[in-house]
Amino acid sequence: MRRVDPILDLYEESHKHPANIKIHWLFEPLAIWAIIALIYSVSGALVLTGFLVVLLIYFARLSVPIALDFVPVIAGFVWIVVLASLHWAVALAIFAVCFVALLGGHRIEGRSPAVFENPQLIIVGPASLARRVFRRLSIHY
């Protein structure tokens, strides 16, 4: 068993309802984008770079292929953030909307978010989405 599997299995336990999965497909990436926008607007490129490097190292420790797949996604998010140059309040508002939507998905699911039980899971959502894509494409990572 790979290091990434137990944590993804735990995360996916509270993400089984089709409506919750669809909500997470839309709002999880948008929430991540909003976090990137918030960090950039408040702290600038250097702090954002440090944050993203730590995030990619974390994912690489779980699964190198997943981490490598995130590089172009994160690069695209950063590119859009830099172009948009949002005020921190707008980024925070987008994140808040995403958070409420994700909580709504869990209400539909009938389970509280797994992140309340294990805070580490807050950054595992994107890896779970990547694993779902890999499974659909029959790619073993």
Side-chain angles (χ1 to χ4, degrees):
M1 178 178 284
R2 295 165 304 175
R3 186 176 189 164
V4 72
D5 291 329
I7 196 164
L8 288 177
D9 292 343
L10 178 63
Y11 178 87
E12 290 175 3
E13 278 298 311
S14 61
H15 299 86
K16 294 185 181 251
H17 192 283
N20 189 27
I21 292 170
K22 288 177 183 172
I23 288 168
H24 276 70
W25 272 101
L26 175 63
F27 288 101
E28 219 167 64
L30 186 56
I32 293 164
W33 180 85
I35 290 169
I36 291 170
L38 184 60
I39 293 169
Y40 180 74
S41 65
V42 170
S43 301
L46 187 59
V47 172
L48 177 60
T49 301
F51 170 77
L52 294 175
V53 166
V54 169
L55 189 65
L56 285 172
I57 289 170
Y58 172 81
F59 283 125
R61 291 186 69 221
L62 293 176
S63 169
V64 172
I66 288 176
L68 291 175
D69 286 341
F70 283 140
V71 171
V73 173
I74 289 173
F77 280 7
V78 169
W79 181 70
I80 293 168
V81 162
V82 170
L83 284 179
S85 192
L86 296 178
H87 188 273
W88 67 267
V90 174
L92 184 60
I94 292 169
F95 178 78
V97 167
C98 293
F99 187 76
V100 169
L102 292 168
L103 286 177
H106 282 286
R107 185 167 175 88
I108 292 167
E109 182 85 38
R111 292 186 64 167
S112 64
V115 71
F116 293 159
E117 299 164 20
N118 183 348
Q120 177 184 10
L121 296 178
I122 198 163
I123 59 174
V124 173
S128 174
L129 295 178
R131 182 162 90 163
R132 289 179 189 268
V133 169
F134 289 148
R135 284 180 181 160
R136 285 189 182 208
L137 299 173
S138 298
I139 297 172
H140 300 286
Y141 59 96

